[in-house]
């Protein structure tokens, strides 16, 4: 699903030669750096670098990876991704699985004033609290947020910043593909998204990677209007690739009032979810 050769090719195509001291003129036809330029700037032979991009060289040293990361101007997330791809054949990661612990579901339900959910590396929502179900207007188990973004046209309006959300989603799936290259369900999801969405295909071809950490998330809810929330991601301490996501509103803001109104609308029996939101889906591998 992902490979070192393709990642290197896309990264060098984005480096402006002028930024690394290489003069250019109108006759230059290569976008970004040439292979021999990357090799020279990295201190490796042209033959070795060509073999890296062709997938014929394995297990590059840390010194080589550091030099490539410097020349290609990789950020921290990209540097970690590069290292993971280089080590993939030697130490393949086991695809995580297993059920959610009941204690974790109890913690999820303790979050009452903010939508909260548990998501895996495929962007499958495994469980969500009551307010998350009201925000999305559906039961949480069974929802895949990448599929929701790219393939469910009727749901696109929920995301006030849809284009940036798609960038985040593809970047996250790229990271997951690098971590779990032998996950058939992830491969199937990526194939489904590529078949069904031209935007997904274009973004996937860019090979960008993004780590999910925190940031602004805005929703246009059909009943309470615009909700400008802050998302915090908490990696669960069990090496499962799962995260707890909490969407909070700043005190005294319209978003706080909107969440309170949303919770009140659900309290009178108008929940659109037809099952308890925090009931976990089956996640057996």
């Amino acid at each position: 699903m992902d490979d070192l050769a393709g990642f290197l090719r896309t990264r060098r195509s984005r480096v402006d030669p002028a930024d690394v001291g290489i003069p250019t003129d109108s006759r230059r036809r290569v976008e970004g750096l040439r292979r021999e330029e990357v090799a020279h700037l990295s201190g490796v032979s042209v033959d070795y670098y060509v073999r890296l991009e062709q997938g014929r060289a394995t297990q590059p040293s840390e010194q080589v990876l550091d030099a490539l990361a410097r020349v290609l101007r990789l950020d921290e997330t990209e540097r970690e991704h590069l290292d993971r791809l280089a080590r993939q054949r030697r130490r393949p990661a086991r695809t995580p699985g297993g059920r959610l612990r009941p204690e974790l579901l109890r913690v999820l339900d303790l979050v009452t004033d903010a939508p909260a959910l548990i998501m895996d590396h495929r962007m499958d929502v495994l469980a969500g609290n009551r307010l998350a179900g009201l925000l999305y207007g559906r039961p949480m188990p069974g929802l895949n947020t990448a599929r929701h973004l790219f393939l469910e046209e009727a749901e696109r309006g929920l995301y006030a910043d849809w284009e940036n959300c798609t960038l985040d989603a593809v970047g996250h799936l790229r990271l997951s593909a690098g971590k779990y290259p032998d996950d058939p369900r992830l491969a199937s999801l990526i194939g489904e998204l590529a078949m069904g969405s031209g935007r997904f295909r274009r973004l996937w071809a860019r090979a960008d990677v993004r780590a999910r950490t925190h940031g602004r998330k805005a929703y246009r809810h059909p009943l309470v209007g615009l909700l400008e929330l802050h998302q915090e991601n908490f990696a669960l301490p069990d090496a499962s690739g799962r995260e707890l996501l909490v969407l909070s509103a700043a005190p005294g803001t319209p978003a706080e009032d909107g969440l309170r109104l949303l919770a009140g609308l659900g309290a009178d029996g108008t929940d659109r979810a037809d099952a308890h939101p925090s009931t976990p889906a089956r996640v057996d591998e």
Side-chain angles (χ1 to χ4, degrees), residues 209-285:
V209 290
R210 291 193 179 192
R212 291 189 311 198
T213 52
H214 57 82
R216 174 185 177 273
K217 292 291 182 180
Y219 298 85
R220 288 194 183 95
H221 194 276
L223 298 180
V224 301
L226 180 64
L227 294 170
E228 294 187 330
L229 306 175
H230 179 82
Q231 178 175 301
E232 286 286 342
N233 293 51
F234 304 93
L236 300 185
D238 54 8
S240 66
R242 297 168 180 160
E243 296 176 326
L244 170 66
L245 280 65
V246 180
L247 295 157
S248 64
T253 62
E256 183 184 45
D257 295 335
L259 286 181
R260 190 178 297 117
L261 176 60
L262 184 61
L265 290 173
D268 62 6
T270 60
D271 300 32
R272 289 169 59 192
D274 56 10
H276 190 274
S278 64
T279 303
R282 292 185 61 86
V283 291
D284 301 330
E285 299 300 324

Side-chain angles (χ1 to χ4, degrees), residues 35-109:
R35 287 173 172 175
E36 57 268 25
E37 292 168 342
V38 175
H40 173 73
L41 293 168
S42 303
V44 300
S45 71
V46 174
D47 176 69
Y48 182 74
Y49 183 76
V50 169
R51 285 190 287 120
L52 279 175
E53 280 208 3
Q54 292 177 343
R56 296 187 292 114
T58 59
Q59 301 180 10
S61 68
E62 286 296 323
Q63 291 81 0
V64 168
L65 294 177
D66 285 340
L68 291 174
R70 172 181 51 80
V71 171
L72 299 176
R73 303 198 161 197
L74 304 186
D75 62 24
E76 182 179 352
T77 299
E78 291 171 325
R79 174 63 181 87
E80 292 175 356
H81 186 60
L82 175 68
D83 185 72
R84 191 177 298 115
L85 295 178
R87 304 287 177 254
Q88 214 171 66
R89 295 180 184 178
R90 188 165 61 188
R91 296 196 306 269
R94 183 179 66 86
T95 300
R99 293 182 176 274
L100 294 176
R101 292 179 289 109
E103 297 84 359
L104 186 58
L105 295 174
R106 288 203 298 269
V107 170
L108 189 65
D109 282 334

